Structures are given as C-alpha cells and as structure tokens.
C-alpha cells in the first residue's frame, strides 16, 4: 500500500445525506456489512435520484462518489456515516440523516493497494497534507471530520496487479 497522490481540493458548501453508524455497528471491526446493505437496498439510488446524477458530477471533481464520512472528537462516540455529498439545501429523503458543511478545502490522498490493505489508513493520510503545507482543521465544536471517497473507476477497476485507489480526505486550511 502506498500514497500515490496528495493535493488540495476546494469544494462548495454541501449537504451530506446518509445514514449514521457507530462503533456498536461494526462487524469484524468494520462497516462492510452496512455498505452491503446500502447496495442491496438501493439507498444510493435514492440519493442519486434526489439530486440528479448530472448535478452531482458538476458539484465538484469526483462529486458523484460514494462516501464513508467519519467524525471523531475525544470523549464523544465515533460516527461513521455512509452516503453522498449533495448540493447545499437538497431535501433529505425520509429515513436519512444529514450534515451540512460550508465551502472548504480538502487535503486529498490517493491510497493505492489491494482492497484489504487500504482501509483504516486515515492517520497516514493526515500526515501527507501536513507535509505538503496544509493544516488539518477541526470544526467549530472541536470535532474532526474526514472521509473515504469511493471514486469510479479508480476504486472499482483494479489495475494489472489487482490494486485499486481509495481517496482519503481531511478538511484543511
């Protein structure tokens, strides 16, 4: 596993719409079972129809990706959300939750490796933007937000060695 790209990306104000999970929802240490439920139940389809796929593609580069959004704050329960970033003020479908984010910059890293090697590396992807002069920032409540971004085809189509790319993004200034 290696980090093959690190860059700053500016994104507009967005509304993350999805479903929230916590440490008690983990199965074998992760949230793969919940991802399976999302695909089985067509929950991403609902979000794509709500926003319109063209709207998502034009939101920002890779704006149509599926997201594993994480919130960490010392002393508070860890949050893991599955969903998508949609245009600001998008109506929230019944059964979903949401988090609004202001326009911001991201420190994006591309992790390249076999699928079993690339998860849980958020700490490594926090170091690379810092080395590039970006400062990872918490929100106004002191919580750290970061996310896995599953971009097609770089995540879904393995290269000749059977390796894929997972984006890990942190909010930076």
């Amino acid at each position: 596993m290696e980090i093959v790209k690190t860059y700053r990306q500016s994104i507009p104000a967005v509304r993350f719409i999805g479903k929230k999970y916590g440490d008690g929802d983990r199965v074998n240490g992760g949230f793969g079972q919940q991802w399976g439920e999302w695909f089985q139940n067509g929950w991403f389809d609902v979000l794509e129809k709500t926003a319109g796929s063209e709207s998502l593609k034009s939101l920002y580069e890779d704006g149509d990706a599926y997201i594993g959004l994480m919130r960490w704050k010392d002393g508070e329960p860890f949050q893991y959300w599955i969903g998508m970033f949609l245009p600001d003020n998008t109506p929230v479908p019944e059964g979903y939750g949401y988090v609004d984010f202001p326009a911001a910059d991201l420190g994006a890293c591309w992790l390249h490796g076999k699928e079993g090697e690339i998860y849980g590396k958020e700490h490594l992807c926090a170091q690379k933007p810092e080395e590039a002069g970006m400062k990872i920032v918490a929100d106004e409540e002191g919580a750290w937000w970061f996310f896995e971004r599953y971009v097609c085809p770089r995540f879904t189509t393995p290269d000749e060695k059977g390796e894929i790319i997972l984006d890990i993004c942190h909010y930076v200034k």
Side-chain angles (χ1 to χ4, degrees):
M1 185 282 312
E2 68 176 318
I3 297 171
V4 295
K5 185 174 181 178
T6 301
Y7 61 99
R8 179 183 296 269
Q9 180 179 17
S10 295
I11 63 170
V14 291
R15 172 166 282 173
F16 178 87
I17 300 178
K19 295 180 185 280
K20 179 172 63 171
Y21 305 95
D23 285 330
D25 297 307
R26 291 179 189 266
V27 177
N28 297 322
F31 297 95
Q33 179 176 314
Q34 288 82 1
W35 280 91
E37 290 172 359
W38 270 76
F39 290 111
Q40 184 178 3
N41 294 322
W43 292 336
F44 286 114
D45 297 337
V46 172
L47 297 180
E48 290 170 336
K49 287 176 187 158
T50 297
S53 59
E54 288 310 309
S55 170
L56 295 175
K57 287 181 182 173
S58 65
L59 189 57
Y60 67 91
E61 186 177 358
D62 301 324
D64 58 344
Y66 299 155
I67 303 292
L69 177 69
M70 292 165 264
R71 179 189 186 273
W72 181 85
K73 183 178 178 185
D74 194 28
E76 294 186 7
F78 174 76
Q79 295 178 18
Y80 185 86
W81 294 71
I82 299 174
M84 298 180 77
F85 288 116
L86 287 88
D88 199 18
N89 298 317
T90 298
V92 179
E94 188 175 333
Y96 292 77
Y98 73 96
V99 181
D100 287 329
F101 290 95
D105 283 352
L106 304 173
C109 290
W110 288 10
L111 283 170
H112 182 248
K114 301 242 186 265
E115 187 169 0
E117 304 170 341
I118 58 175
Y119 299 115
K121 307 293 190 227
E122 292 81 15
H123 62 290
L124 297 176
C125 294
Q127 295 169 356
K128 286 294 186 182
E130 298 253 339
E131 291 170 8
M134 296 174 245
K135 179 170 175 36
I136 294 178
V137 294
D139 68 11
E140 63 281 348
E141 297 175 0
W144 305 92
W145 291 90
F146 45 97
F147 56 91
E148 305 157 325
R149 183 168 60 191
Y150 297 89
V151 178
C152 301
R154 65 179 173 257
F155 179 79
T156 54
T157 306
D159 64 16
E160 64 282 349
K161 293 188 237 170
E163 297 178 335
I164 54 176
I165 292 174
L166 173 66
D167 298 17
I168 301 289
C169 301
H170 290 268
Y171 284 88
V172 299
K173 67 175 186 176

